[in-house]
């Protein structure tokens, strides 16, 4: 049977629903313990893009049935040689050429937009961890991609938090951070700190371990921060932030964020945590993480689980997360293909 590829229009409710069902079924088949794929998150991602990002999306049909979905992210402000990919095949229609057909379309799109590299992520089981199919990694390897950056997802069971241990960690961090004050906010960044957040956000790729992944630091300014905040709000996301203000200069020199989807209320993602290199060595990373966790819990009393990812070699951040109670769940691999 022929496989027909059709570009997805994010304004077409019927096509968006077909893509959503493919992604939800694929995620469920993988066996990961994330909350079920939620429509608001998926649809919001299609209709409210992040600034500086254009995405091409394709549905694959086999005998008139929607069986596969491709999302090709094309940065517009930086990383102009790169394309990031998410590729899904419905579990009932695998090993029938759907993935390869979408891959060939990905290569065509990359060439059309003059991109040199393709990158994407897959999940595998850790030794002794919960089962994962490993299908994504097998497919990436079969297409000629190479693993360039191993990561580990860790999960915090908020219901089992050791508050006494957290108090001790917080006390050590406060003692080491004399001359710095925590600043907390929910939603958009206060105007007096938006330029500092832009600077810190722009440093993330520069400072984070990347292995062999070829990805440039992103060009972030205050306007881009505001557009990102607007996109997150339009997607129904809720964000909680804590920064560390350097009292002598008034600058925000460390920053962390927790992010919630519109639903469910029991789950969150630990996102960026970064400290300005000039202000490291004062345990500011631990300080803002603990402060932000407790701040979010005052607003989100039903929170039970937080997921986060770290490069496998990022020993410093891993040590902070594990001290807070995060524990390994599964392995993630970033793959890259040079065209």
């Amino acid at each position: 049977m022929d496989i027909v590829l059709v570009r997805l229009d994010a304004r077409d409710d019927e096509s968006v629903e077909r893509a959503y069902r493919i992604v939800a079924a694929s995620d469920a088949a993988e066996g990961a313990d994330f909350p079920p794929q939620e429509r608001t998150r998926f649809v919001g991602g299609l209709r409210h893009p992040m600034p500086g990002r254009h995405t091409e999306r394709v549905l694959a049909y086999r005998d008139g049935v929607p069986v596969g979905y491709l999302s090709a992210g094309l940065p517009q402000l930086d990383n102009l040689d790169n394309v990031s990919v998410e590729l899904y095949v419905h579990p009932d229609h695998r090993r029938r050429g759907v993935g390869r057909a979408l891959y060939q379309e990905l290569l065509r799109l990359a060439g059309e937009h003059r991109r040199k590299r393709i990158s994407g992520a897959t999940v595998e089981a850790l030794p002794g961890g919960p089962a994962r199919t490993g299908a994504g990694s097998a497919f990436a390897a079969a297409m000629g991609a190479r693993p360039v950056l191993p990561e580990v997802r860790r999960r915090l069971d908020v219901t089992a938090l050791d508050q006494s241990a957290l108090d001790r960690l917080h006390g050590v961090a406060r003692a080491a951070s004399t001359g710095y004050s925590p600043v907390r906010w929910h939603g958009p960044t206060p105007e007096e700190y938006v330029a500092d957040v832009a600077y810190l956000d722009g440093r993330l790729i520069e400072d984070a371990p990347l292995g062999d992944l070829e990805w440039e630091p992103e060009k972030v300014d205050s306007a881009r921060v505001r557009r990102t905040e607007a996109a997150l709000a339009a997607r129904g996301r809720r964000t909680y932030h804590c920064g560390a203000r350097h009292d002598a200069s008034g600058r925000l020199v460390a920053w962390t964020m927790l992010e919630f989807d519109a639903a469910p209320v029991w789950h969150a993602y630990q996102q960026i945590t970064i400290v300005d290199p000039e202000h490291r060595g004062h345990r500011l990373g631990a300080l803002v993480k603990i402060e932000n966790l407790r701040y979010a819990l005052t607003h989100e009393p039903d929170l039970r689980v937080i997921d986060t990812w770290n490069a496998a070699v990022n020993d410093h951040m891993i040590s902070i997360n594990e001290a807070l109670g995060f524990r390994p769940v599964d392995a993630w691999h970033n793959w890259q293909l040079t065209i």
Side-chain angles (χ1 to χ4, degrees), residues 39 44 48 63 66 69-70 82 131 134 154 159 164 167 185 194 199 208 221-222 232 234 241-242 244 298 300 310 318:
R39 277 183 175 82
H48 303 285
D63 196 26
Y69 171 64
L70 168 69
N82 293 343
R154 286 175 170 80
T159 67
S164 295
D167 286 339
W185 69 92
V194 68
Y199 167 75
D221 57 16
S222 297
L232 289 173
H241 309 253
C242 182
T298 64
E300 305 281 349
N310 297 112
I318 289 170

Side-chain angles (χ1 to χ4, degrees), residues 111-194:
E112 178 183 311
H113 291 274
R114 299 180 180 179
R115 304 297 163 122
K116 298 177 181 178
R117 289 179 294 271
I118 296 170
S119 61
T122 63
V123 60
E124 297 178 14
L126 284 171
R132 301 289 181 258
T133 68
S137 295
F139 180 80
M143 296 303 103
R146 61 188 182 95
V148 290
L149 177 64
E151 296 186 278
V152 174
R153 174 171 66 106
R154 286 175 170 80
R155 169 165 283 192
L156 177 64
D157 179 356
V158 177
T159 67
L161 272 175
D162 185 336
Q163 295 293 346
S164 295
L166 210 59
D167 286 339
R168 289 192 294 273
L169 287 170
H170 185 260
V172 170
R174 285 303 287 139
S177 59
T178 301
Y180 299 87
S181 300
V183 178
R184 294 165 291 273
W185 69 92
H186 171 34
T189 305
E191 187 62 33
E192 61 266 35
Y193 299 125
V194 68

Side-chain angles (χ1 to χ4, degrees), residues 41-56:
R41 177 186 179 94
F42 182 78
V43 176
L46 268 64
R47 294 179 176 168
H48 303 285
M50 289 297 175
R53 176 62 63 93
H54 170 70
T55 303
E56 297 278 0

Side-chain angles (χ1 to χ4, degrees), residues 149-151 204-213 311-315:
L149 177 64
E151 296 186 278
L204 179 63
I205 299 300
E206 183 176 348
D207 293 351
L210 292 182
D212 293 326
L213 180 66
V313 297
N314 193 352
D315 294 336

Side-chain angles (χ1 to χ4, degrees), residues 31 36-37 78 82 158 179 244 279:
Q37 178 70 233
D78 38 56
N82 293 343
V158 177
H279 294 269

